[in-house]
Amino acid sequence: MGRFLRTVVLFALIVGVGFAAFLLYDRTFSTGSAGAGCEPVAAVSGDVSGDAVAVSVARSAAVFPCASAAVVADADDPIALAFGARLAAQEALPLLASGPEVPAAIRAELDRLGADDLLVVGSSDLAGALAGDVAESWNLRLADEVADLEARILAGVSDPDRPPIGIPADPAAAFAAVRTAIAEDRPVVLGPGTAGAQKPPLQPEAPMWVATTDRADVAMASLAAADATGALVALVDGDDPRRSLDVREAATDAGIVSLIGDFGDDQGWQTRTLLTAAELPGGGVLVFEPGRRYVAAYGNPNTPRLGVLGEQGPEGWAETAERLAEMVQGYDADGLPVVPTFEIIATVAAGDPGPDGDYSAEMRIETLQGWVDYARENDIYVVLDLQPGRTDFLSQARRYESLLLEPHVGLALDPEWRLAPDEVHLEQVGSVGIAEVNATANWLADLVRENGLPQKLFIVHQFLFSMIEGREDIVIPPELAGLIQMDGQGPLESKYDTWAALTEGTEGAPYRWGWKNFYDEDSPTATPEQVLAVEPTVWFVSYQ
C-alpha cells in the first residue's frame, strides 16, 4: 500500500473512531452551544410584567444567548419551581416555567436557545407534553423520583457534607430556602430541612429583581437567571411592600432595581416608596411600623397659653426638644420605641373673624419652617394642627402644602374648632362631617403618592361623638396612618369613661388611638404607666 493510500486509510479510521466515540458519549449540558438566534432579546434590567411563564421567558431571553439544554418546571407548583431553580443554577441552564399545555412563548424560547435536551421537574403531564426533547424528568409526586432529584443535586454541590436546606410547601418560604441554597451552593430536600434560609448578600451595584410574597412563583422563575448574572431576587410583603425593610436595606447597594410580575395598583407605588422614599424619624417608611409610639409637645410657638410647646418662645425648638426628652420617659415600657413629636397648632381658633372672616388665625409658613427644619435634623416628627373656624379643613391644609411635602410632617384636624357659618367659638363645640374629613384625607394621600413620600400621620381630634359626624364611614387611604386623638380633660376617671365610650366597638377600624394629657386641666395628669394600661393600645400621646 502506498504512503498516500496508507495516510488516507489512517485518517478515515481516526475520523470514524472519533465519530463513534461521539455517538457513545453521554452528552453534557452547556450554555455555550450554538442555538437559533444566539443573542439576548430583552434588557436584563427592565421591569417585567406577567406571570411566572412570562417572567421566566423574559429573564431567559435576557440572560442566556443560547443553551443546548434547559430546565422546565411546573409553573403551578412552587416546590417544582424551587427544585427546578436549584437544578438550573447548578447546571448553569435557563429555567422556564410552564404548565402541561406548553405555551407558545415557552416553545419559542426553547427554539431560540437551541435547547434540544430538557430537564423537566413537575408532573408527568408536563414531561409528556415536551416528550421528544426530554432528557430527564422528575415527578415530585413519586418518592423515588424526588429522592433521585435530591441525589442529583447533592452530587453537584462542591461540599456535599453541608446540611441540606428543606423546601417547604409555603411558596414564599420555598423561595427563601432555594434562594439561599443557590447562594451558598447547598443541596435541597423536600421538607423542613436542617437549616433556616438567610438573605444572601448582594454584590455592590448588582441588579435587584423584586417580586411580591403573593407571587413567589414569579420570583422563583427568575432565580436561575439571577444566579447567572449576580443579581438578587427579593420578595416584598404582598399586603404592604413598605414593610419589607430588609429589601430596602439591600437596595441601597443595588444597581438597577426592577419589578417582576404583575403588581397590583397599591403594590407598585408602595414598592417604589419602600425603595426610594426618605425615612421617617425612627426608621422605615410607615408611621407605626416597625412598632413605635409618638409622644408630642402640643401648642403654638407664639403663645404659652395654648400648650407646653409655646412656653419656649417662637424659636424655642431646641428647648422644646429638651423638654420632650423628659416627656417620653416611660412610654417605651411595653417595648415600643418612642418618637418625639412637635404638635403645632398651625391655625388657631380666633375670637374675632379677622380679615378673611373665618375666625381662624393662620401661622405664616416662614414661622413654622424653623420648627420643621430643626425636627428634620434631630429625628423629630411634626404634626400640623388645624383649627379652621368657619372655613374648611381642606382649604387650610392646602395652605401648608409646602410643609406637608416634608417627609416627617403629618396633619391633624380639630373639629372642636370647626364652625358652622353662624357659629362662634366657645359658644358650642364644633363638628365636621365625614365627607370633609375624607376629602382632606384623599388630598393628603394624593400628595404622598404623587411625590413619593413615606406614609403620613393623619389625626382627627375627638372627645364628643358629635364632633365627627359619621365616623363609622371614615376612609383612611394606605398613604396615611389614621389616628383618633381622645382630647378629653378633667379627673382621670372621667377621662377613662370618655376613652371607653369613644373606643367601644372600634376593633378593626382603619385608625388607631391617641391620648391627650393636660398639665393644668387634668387632675391628676395620667402617668405613662396609666396611659399604657388602657385598651386599646395608645399609639400617640400629646401633652398640652
Side-chain angles (χ1 to χ4, degrees):
M1 183 182 296
R3 179 179 300 178
F4 175 75
L5 184 58
R6 287 198 303 270
T7 303
V8 171
V9 171
L10 181 61
F11 179 77
L13 286 172
I14 293 172
V15 172
V17 171
F19 183 67
F22 173 77
L23 291 177
L24 294 172
Y25 185 71
D26 183 14
R27 287 176 296 170
T28 57
F29 304 115
S30 169
T31 61
S33 302
C38 190
E39 293 293 337
V41 296
V44 178
S45 59
D47 292 359
V48 179
S49 61
D51 58 10
V53 174
V55 170
S56 72
V57 169
R59 289 312 189 202
S60 171
V63 172
F64 296 91
C66 50
S68 63
V71 177
V72 183
D74 192 334
D76 297 321
D77 184 348
I79 295 176
L81 281 170
F83 273 97
R86 180 65 190 89
L87 180 63
Q90 182 166 297
E91 302 285 347
L93 296 175
L95 171 67
L96 296 172
S98 176
E101 295 184 6
V102 182
I106 295 291
R107 295 193 183 277
E109 178 60 11
L110 291 171
D111 287 343
R112 185 196 69 82
L113 289 166
D116 297 323
D117 294 303
L118 305 182
L119 307 180
V120 180
V121 183
S123 68
S124 57
D125 291 339
L126 177 58
L130 293 165
D133 294 324
V134 176
E136 294 183 77
S137 66
W138 297 271
N139 184 346
L140 299 187
R141 295 185 179 89
L142 302 178
D144 59 336
E145 296 197 17
V146 172
D148 182 68
L149 178 57
E150 291 173 347
R152 168 68 177 270
I153 294 173
L154 176 61
V157 301
S158 58
D159 184 1
D161 294 328
R162 298 194 72 187
I165 294 180
I167 303 296
D170 174 67
F175 163 80
V178 71
R179 182 181 67 177
T180 301
I182 291 172
E184 299 181 359
D185 190 25
R186 303 269 288 276
V188 292
V189 295
L190 190 60
T194 58
Q198 301 295 321
K199 177 171 67 69
L202 176 68
Q203 297 299 319
E205 299 304 314
M208 174 181 279
W209 303 340
V210 179
T212 57
T213 54
D214 54 347
R215 292 310 310 269
D217 59 330
V218 167
M220 282 188 281
S222 290
L223 280 175
D227 180 64
T229 59
L232 173 67
V233 183
L235 286 182
V236 293
D237 189 305
D239 292 328
D240 191 334
R242 294 173 296 179
R243 296 188 179 121
S244 303
L245 297 182
D246 59 330
V247 177
R248 176 183 172 90
E249 180 181 359
T252 59
D253 295 326
I256 296 175
V257 179
S258 305
L259 307 188
I260 56 174
D262 291 326
F263 279 65
D265 289 342
D266 285 336
Q267 288 176 333
W269 70 261
Q270 288 171 352
T271 300
R272 289 181 171 84
T273 297
L274 169 76
L275 298 173
T276 63
E279 283 201 348
L280 291 166
V285 294
L286 292 171
V287 168
F288 295 114
E289 297 182 42
R292 68 188 67 156
R293 175 176 290 116
Y294 294 75
V295 176
Y298 175 95
N300 180 279
N302 291 333
T303 174
R305 294 186 303 161
L306 298 178
V308 63
L309 182 138
E311 293 177 359
Q312 288 70 238
E315 297 182 357
W317 39 76
E319 293 83 356
T320 303
E322 291 178 6
R323 293 190 65 177
L324 263 173
E326 299 175 3
M327 293 177 193
V328 304
Q329 297 301 313
Y331 281 105
D332 59 354
D334 60 353
L336 285 179
V338 178
V339 176
T341 304
F342 294 154
E343 188 174 8
I344 306 173
I345 312 172
T347 65
V348 183
D352 58 77
D356 53 9
D358 65 3
Y359 287 84
S360 178
E362 298 86 0
M363 289 190 68
R364 297 170 62 245
I365 290 174
E366 295 76 10
T367 304
L368 294 167
Q369 191 68 58
W371 291 82
V372 171
D373 292 345
Y374 181 88
R376 183 196 317 108
E377 295 163 3
N378 291 275
D379 220 24
I380 296 172
Y381 198 76
V382 177
V383 176
L384 301 181
D385 266 61
L386 305 180
Q387 298 178 355
R390 291 187 181 178
T391 189
D392 61 275
F393 284 115
L394 180 54
S395 296
Q396 286 203 334
R398 291 181 186 276
R399 174 187 292 266
Y400 297 103
E401 179 175 333
S402 64
L403 297 179
L404 290 167
L405 285 171
E406 298 267 7
H408 63 298
V409 179
L411 184 68
L413 316 182
D414 196 344
E416 179 183 3
W417 311 104
R418 170 67 171 91
L419 301 176
D422 58 347
E423 292 178 342
V424 294
H425 295 301
L426 301 180
E427 292 188 3
Q428 70 291 299
V429 174
S431 65
V432 65
I434 199 62
E436 185 175 323
V437 174
N438 287 342
T440 308
N442 288 334
W443 172 82
L444 187 61
D446 289 344
L447 198 71
V448 169
R449 185 185 296 208
E450 292 168 5
N451 292 278
L453 299 173
Q455 192 179 47
K456 283 197 178 295
L457 183 56
F458 180 71
I459 298 175
V460 185
H461 293 267
Q462 185 178 34
F463 59 86
L464 296 176
F465 284 107
S466 61
M467 290 171 61
I468 309 174
E469 299 170 356
R471 190 184 71 180
E472 66 278 5
D473 294 322
I474 193 170
V475 176
I476 305 295
E479 295 88 346
L480 310 180
L483 183 129
I484 303 294
Q485 175 83 1
M486 195 282 287
D487 278 359
Q489 59 179 252
L492 191 53
E493 289 303 318
S494 297
K495 290 174 71 83
Y496 286 152
D497 290 342
T498 302
W499 177 267
L502 289 176
T503 61
E504 184 179 5
T506 60
E507 300 84 358
Y511 49 80
R512 306 190 191 208
W513 282 94
W515 175 281
K516 192 164 189 179
N517 278 327
F518 292 82
Y519 280 120
D520 299 328
E521 290 81 4
D522 288 348
S523 54
T525 301
T527 65
E529 293 78 10
Q530 290 169 325
V531 173
L532 297 187
V534 303
E535 292 290 342
T537 300
V538 174
W539 294 88
F540 186 95
V541 184
S542 186
Y543 279 87
Q544 181 170 349

